[in-house]
Amino acid sequence: MGSDPLTDAHMKNWMKCVRDKNIATNAPVEVGYNHSIANIMVTASLHTGQRAVFDPKTQQVIAGGKIFKY
């Protein structure tokens, strides 16, 4: 399938940090978490045809008034 240069750079950085036991990645884990939430919200909207929101209290994506389970 191939990949793009940014994905390659991300994976190289991640693997270097794992090998070096270095927690100083290019971005903090919270950035990845927030990015994942956005991706799940898009998936929820596409699958349900409804607006998706994130409930930070329960840490759930809600679409059409229901917890989205993928």
Side-chain angles (χ1 to χ4, degrees):
M1 290 178 53
S3 65
D4 60 90
L6 289 176
T7 300
D8 289 344
H10 168 73
M11 293 305 296
K12 285 178 184 176
N13 172 250
W14 174 254
M15 293 309 298
K16 181 172 178 7
C17 289
V18 169
R19 281 192 299 272
D20 297 347
K21 297 181 180 167
N22 176 7
I23 62 169
T25 57
N26 287 343
V29 70
E30 293 82 10
V31 172
Y33 177 75
N34 290 335
H35 182 75
S36 294
I37 291 168
N39 284 332
I40 294 167
M41 289 173 67
V42 167
T43 301
S45 290
L46 288 171
H47 282 267
T48 66
Q50 302 288 319
R51 180 175 180 260
V53 296
F54 180 70
D55 183 345
K57 187 173 163 185
T58 62
Q59 297 186 336
Q60 297 287 335
V61 171
I62 311 297
K66 300 177 188 171
I67 294 172
F68 179 70
K69 298 187 184 210
Y70 48 95

